[in-house]
Amino acid sequence: NDLIIAWLIALALYFLIIFEKKPITQGMIVAFLLWLAFYVKIWVVYIFPALGMYYLHHIYKCRKWQGLASFSFTSIFLHGITCTFWKITTGTFIPFVYLHSASYPVSAESMSWLIQLYPKMLLFGSEFGTTLFGMIPYVLTALLILKIVLSRTVKRYKNSLRFDKLDIYLFVYYISFFLFLNFFPNTFQFD
């Protein structure tokens, strides 16, 4: 599931950039890919702060609102049809939230452990010994340092190595993922 959501989010970000000059097509494709990612895991909400910044920038600086309108309409349409299907089939609009088996209350004594759990796994690896789970933040940090060093030392490619708006959006996405990881559990209920 995690690899599928990663590919869908990467494709959504790719098409967000590729179709920047065609905002209606861009909004529809990005909404469709994020809709697919949403049904892999609800955790796709982590991308919304960066996506919101992107669209607010386009509305405020460029006076272009078509991308956000297209994204919103397509997303509401797809989610509306899907929720209607689930209501007819299961009796509830979002069964994977209400009927998810991983729901359990957390005692007050366990709250500090719970809030530290995912950051520890992200920074030091999971308890299952999976290969890359604890490596991603370090790879991202190394790439960030490399970009900073190269942007300051290599004169020939200085413009292509400088930080641009896409770097900022990607950075906001990573920060929002890290911060929201604990506060959007599977059922969106903080018991």
Side-chain angles (χ1 to χ4, degrees):
N1 281 349
D2 291 338
L3 289 176
I4 294 170
I5 191 174
W7 277 106
L8 290 170
I9 289 175
L11 281 172
L13 292 173
Y14 175 76
F15 285 111
L16 184 76
I17 303 311
I18 294 300
F19 285 110
E20 201 165 41
K21 297 206 187 302
K22 297 179 180 180
I24 294 173
T25 305
Q26 173 206 50
M28 290 171 61
I29 291 173
V30 170
F32 177 72
L33 291 170
L34 292 182
W35 171 77
L36 287 174
F38 184 88
Y39 287 99
V40 173
K41 281 196 176 173
I42 298 174
W43 293 350
V44 77
V45 298
Y46 301 145
I47 200 171
F48 288 144
L51 192 62
M53 271 183 62
Y54 174 84
Y55 281 128
L56 286 175
H57 170 80
H58 275 269
I59 290 170
Y60 182 72
K61 292 277 188 181
C62 308
R63 305 284 187 233
K64 294 182 180 178
W65 53 268
Q66 295 90 345
L68 177 60
S70 174
F71 172 83
S72 299
F73 178 77
T74 304
S75 187
I76 289 168
F77 178 74
L78 290 171
H79 287 287
I81 287 175
T82 307
C83 287
T84 303
F85 167 78
W86 286 122
K87 179 68 173 171
I88 292 167
T89 307
T90 67
T92 182
F93 286 108
I94 41 180
F96 45 86
V97 172
Y98 293 117
L99 306 174
H100 195 274
S101 62
S103 303
Y104 57 91
V106 177
S107 66
E109 303 85 46
S110 300
M111 286 303 293
S112 66
W113 169 81
L114 180 71
I115 291 182
Q116 294 173 20
L117 179 65
Y118 279 123
K120 282 181 182 176
M121 287 180 163
L122 279 174
L123 296 172
F124 304 112
S126 78
E127 72 272 22
F128 304 116
T130 52
T131 313
L132 290 175
F133 204 70
M135 294 300 297
I136 300 301
Y138 301 107
V139 170
L140 292 174
T141 303
L143 290 172
L144 180 64
I145 291 169
L146 180 65
K147 182 157 186 162
I148 290 170
V149 168
L150 289 176
S151 68
R152 302 211 183 271
T153 58
V154 179
K155 304 289 186 216
R156 183 174 179 192
Y157 301 106
K158 193 165 185 152
N159 286 339
S160 62
L161 290 174
R162 68 177 170 71
F163 280 89
D164 57 11
K165 65 180 182 174
L166 301 178
D167 293 316
I168 293 168
Y169 298 139
L170 193 58
F171 184 72
V172 169
Y173 171 67
Y174 287 129
I175 293 300
S176 67
F177 178 79
F178 187 76
L179 293 176
F180 289 169
L181 192 60
N182 278 323
F183 300 106
F184 284 96
N186 286 329
T187 60
F188 287 94
Q189 296 174 12
F190 208 49
D191 295 331

